Amino acid sequence: CATHDQTTGLRGSEVNAIAQDQQGTLWFGTNRGLSTWNGTSWTTYTTEDGLSNNGIACVTIDHAGNVWVCYDWRGYGVSMYDGSVWTSYTATDGLADDDVNDIAVDAEGDIWVGTYGSGVSEFDGTTWSTYSDEDYNWISDIFLDSQGNLWFSSYSNGVTVFDGIHWTTYTADDGLLADYTNTIAEDAAGNIWIGHGRLENGGLTKFDGSTWTVYDVQDGVASNEVYAIAMDLDGRYWFGTNAGVTEYIPDGIVESIPAGT
């Protein structure tokens, strides 16, 4: 295991986002700028290079290889790097809001930006279009599932799925554990997993397309505040919480790894 930090070339000590481009280069969004690692050397981008702010919250690579970032500090919109020039987009350019929480790319290559209070914006490479509704205004995460549907988790009203034509919102009234949702992922069987927690009772919800199943600390989850979900190549599920990581094997084995161990 090797550790990289500011002494070895990483721009900031706090890493908020990681993405890998088509060439295998890793992009790290930090609290002091954006750093790339090509396996040999580090390259750094800051406001001096064209970023709107040095606090990076998310990094996404689109189908053309462009790098998109959103900012940890609110009010800076999003920025895109085409390999030579940084271009920033704000509400003045058509973005729904300058306060952005996440960026995703759909199956057609369009860019989707989730804002903090003003819905979601879609960019087709030329024009911004905005979708706003009380159900999906406060976006915490955007996820593209294996069927091409876009899922939006919300700080205020559950999750909303867009199939390209229709918007469908699911809340606690439909079976979600709670309406405050942080993150979304999909397992190999096509089940959608949703992480909850912070302002109300939390934990996990699994949706198989018809049935909702909920899990919390009583089922072995490390904490009811779930902020990250990932599935590894060995079929294990990993849930990042504010009290460590929970490893879940679909046959029912749950192991939580507390923070600091």
Side-chain angles (χ1 to χ4, degrees), residues 74 101-103 116 138-143 151-160 170 176-185 192-205 221 223-229 239-242:
R74 307 218 177 267
N101 277 337
D102 198 21
I103 305 172
Y116 191 75
W138 303 84
I139 305 301
S140 53
D141 188 29
I142 307 174
F143 177 77
W151 292 76
F152 303 88
S153 60
S154 166
Y155 289 130
S156 60
N157 203 38
V159 298
T160 297
Y170 301 103
L176 275 177
L177 181 59
D179 287 340
Y180 191 103
T181 59
N182 294 318
T183 187
I184 304 174
I192 299 297
W193 290 78
I194 300 154
H196 306 270
R198 194 166 78 177
L199 294 183
E200 56 181 296
N201 293 333
L204 289 158
T205 300
V221 183
S223 167
N224 282 343
E225 293 188 30
V226 180
Y227 296 106
I229 304 172
F239 306 110
T241 79
N242 68 331

